[in-house]
Amino acid sequence: MVAATFGQTLNRMSITALVINYNAGQVLQRCVQSLIDSSVLTNIVVVDNASTDKSAQQLRHIYGHYPRLEVLFNPGNYGFARAVNNAVRNLQSELILVINPDCELHRNALEFMQQAMQSDSSAALAAPLVVGLYTTDWPPEV
């Protein structure tokens, strides 16, 4: 999660989740669903890098009614970093979550990261604990 405005503490920092897609298939839908199900209201921007598997079109068809989802289409495969950098320039949120399409968030994960960012005004980055698909204990002991 990248802080777009450094040193600013708000009552609730707004979050935009940015997903860069390239032929991610069905996992893209699971990723977006986990963001929709989050305990924190989140804007979601999916940038498709000219996928040929129609995963972004399917996503738009299934979730097009969701008001906080925007699906953008690049005319070519710009690569991950360029697609992120181009998209971030246009986002207005205080916090930006860059998440891969093959990742799913626990319902409260964004809330924990948001609280971490709010508790330290000098923080510029928060990273979640990554757990495996088959981990049953939540939260895991660290």
Side-chain angles (χ1 to χ4, degrees):
M1 190 176 290
V2 180
T5 306
F6 298 104
Q8 183 177 9
T9 302
L10 303 173
N11 191 16
R12 278 285 188 188
M13 294 177 151
S14 62
I15 300 175
T16 295
L18 177 59
V19 184
I20 306 302
N21 180 57
Y22 182 71
N23 292 329
Q26 297 292 322
V27 296
L28 176 62
Q29 292 174 27
R30 290 196 300 268
C31 174
V32 168
Q33 187 62 56
S34 76
L35 293 165
I36 290 171
D37 293 342
S38 174
S39 62
V40 175
L41 192 59
T42 307
N43 295 315
I44 305 165
V45 175
V46 175
V47 177
D48 185 74
N49 263 341
S51 294
T52 57
D53 69 351
K54 304 221 182 284
S55 50
Q57 289 89 339
Q58 291 171 346
L59 183 79
R60 182 183 268 172
H61 176 73
I62 294 168
Y63 295 100
H65 66 281
Y66 187 72
R68 294 184 168 272
L69 172 66
E70 184 175 8
V71 181
L72 306 173
F73 294 88
N74 283 335
N77 184 355
Y78 291 174
F80 181 80
R82 183 175 170 197
V84 168
N85 290 336
N86 287 347
V88 165
R89 286 187 192 108
N90 299 311
L91 299 179
Q92 301 297 315
S93 297
E94 288 88 11
L95 300 174
I96 301 165
L97 170 70
V98 179
I99 183 170
N100 289 342
D102 62 345
C103 294
E104 297 175 45
L105 292 180
H106 181 272
R107 183 171 174 10
N108 298 323
L110 279 179
E111 187 175 348
F112 290 129
M113 288 188 284
Q114 186 182 48
Q115 289 171 1
M117 294 299 292
Q118 284 182 275
S119 68
D120 184 351
S121 63
S122 66
L125 181 91
L129 176 65
V130 178
V131 295
L133 179 63
Y134 302 105
T135 301
T136 57
D137 297 330
W138 183 263
E141 293 184 35
V142 244

